Amino acid sequence: MKAHTLMYHDVVDPGGDVYSVTPGRFREHLDAIERAVGRPPQRGDALSGGATPWMITFDDGGASGLAAGEELARRSWVGHFFIVTDWVGRPEYMDWNGIRALAQMGHVIGSHSCSHPDRMAACSVEQLLDEWSRSFDVLAEGLGGSVSTASVPGGLYSKEVGRAAAAAGYTTLFTSLPSQGVDSIDGCTLVGRYAIRRDTTAAQAAAAASGRPLAWARQRAAWALRGAVKSVAGQRYESMRRALLARR
């Protein structure tokens, strides 16, 4: 099975980091995707056969998520909003009223861990279970019902990360690996994603959502290059990355 999943972060006016897009560009993306794909996105917790599903996700739980969710709702589209539970209510992040409003619109609310570790795959098994389990419990209490989806913070996935998510009760885990393939680990479905950046054009977003091979191949090549840099830089990589994003 395949799935074409887009990974957004903030939808804000100019001034955000390299992974943010402006509201105007976001609407351009959605218009182009609608023309190219011709059908609404699916829920990650209810994937079915037939046409290859496409999905749209948002990481971190930034305050702009509410406006993004409203834009999707106007089109009767469902999005996935992944929340860092330790950050709920902080400046520039959604509070529980906003998160519950997204859920009431029909969007999927999931975990993005408790504290957003820079190197999730470097955490111990105990730390992984704590990150996934505590965020699961906090979201379930805040929403008044269980959650089933999560996304890996920082993009660093490993089998231990997946197994811990499955053990915590999640049935669908989104990674940052730019892959259209759908896999599984311990009964938890694994879904890769295409990262949307500030300079991603509407045509590129539409090509990724419709599964055009070249769009995904280019991002896989960039991902492989970053992986090589990470292996050399080790723990210094994240501080280097944050400095670069801040300058951009």
Side-chain angles (χ1 to χ4, degrees):
M1 184 177 180
K2 289 185 176 182
H4 310 145
T5 307
L6 306 183
M7 176 176 64
Y8 285 85
H9 286 76
D10 283 325
V11 180
V12 295
D13 288 321
D17 68 23
V18 70
Y19 287 105
S20 66
V21 297
T22 66
R25 174 156 287 189
F26 181 58
R27 288 190 292 271
E28 291 173 1
H29 283 195
L30 300 186
D31 289 341
I33 292 167
E34 191 167 20
R35 291 191 297 269
V37 182
R39 62 182 185 279
Q42 284 189 229
R43 295 173 59 101
D45 55 1
L47 295 178
S48 59
T52 301
W54 78 276
M55 291 173 281
I56 185 168
T57 70
F58 300 82
D59 280 359
D60 295 343
S64 67
L66 186 57
E70 290 170 345
E71 182 63 39
L72 294 177
R74 279 191 283 272
R75 301 166 187 260
S76 298
W77 284 11
V78 62
H80 300 70
F81 293 82
F82 296 112
I83 310 299
V84 181
T85 53
D86 286 356
W87 297 355
V88 174
R90 290 186 182 182
E92 301 183 1
Y93 293 91
M94 283 187 288
D95 58 18
W96 281 110
N97 288 333
I99 294 168
R100 293 187 188 108
L102 286 174
Q104 290 168 359
M105 292 177 203
H107 299 305
V108 179
I109 306 299
S111 169
H112 199 45
S113 78
C114 280
S115 65
H116 200 292
D118 284 340
R119 295 174 59 82
M120 191 76 163
C123 292
S124 68
V125 172
E126 292 75 16
Q127 288 173 315
L128 291 172
L129 287 171
D130 180 65
E131 288 283 343
W132 288 134
S133 298
R134 281 198 297 123
S135 59
F136 183 101
D137 292 340
V138 169
L139 287 170
E141 181 178 357
L143 296 170
S146 64
V147 295
S148 61
T149 62
S151 70
V152 181
L156 287 175
Y157 172 79
S158 68
K159 289 183 178 179
E160 289 75 18
V161 170
R163 291 192 178 107
Y170 299 100
T171 57
T172 305
L173 180 65
F174 292 85
T175 73
S176 298
L177 178 66
S179 170
Q180 300 176 62
V182 175
D183 205 345
S184 66
I185 187 167
D186 293 352
C188 180
T189 300
L190 301 173
V191 184
R193 294 183 291 176
Y194 181 98
I196 300 295
R197 298 163 60 95
R198 184 169 58 201
D199 57 357
T200 302
T201 67
Q204 290 170 331
S210 57
R212 293 183 183 172
L214 184 57
W216 287 85
R218 285 173 172 166
Q219 196 156 105
R220 278 196 302 275
W223 174 271
L225 179 59
R226 286 196 299 274
V229 174
K230 288 179 184 179
S231 66
V232 173
Q235 294 184 350
R236 294 175 298 164
Y237 176 82
E238 288 303 327
S239 60
M240 293 162 54
R241 175 178 177 271
R242 284 193 296 270
L244 178 60
L245 293 180
R247 287 199 298 271
R248 289 182 176 176

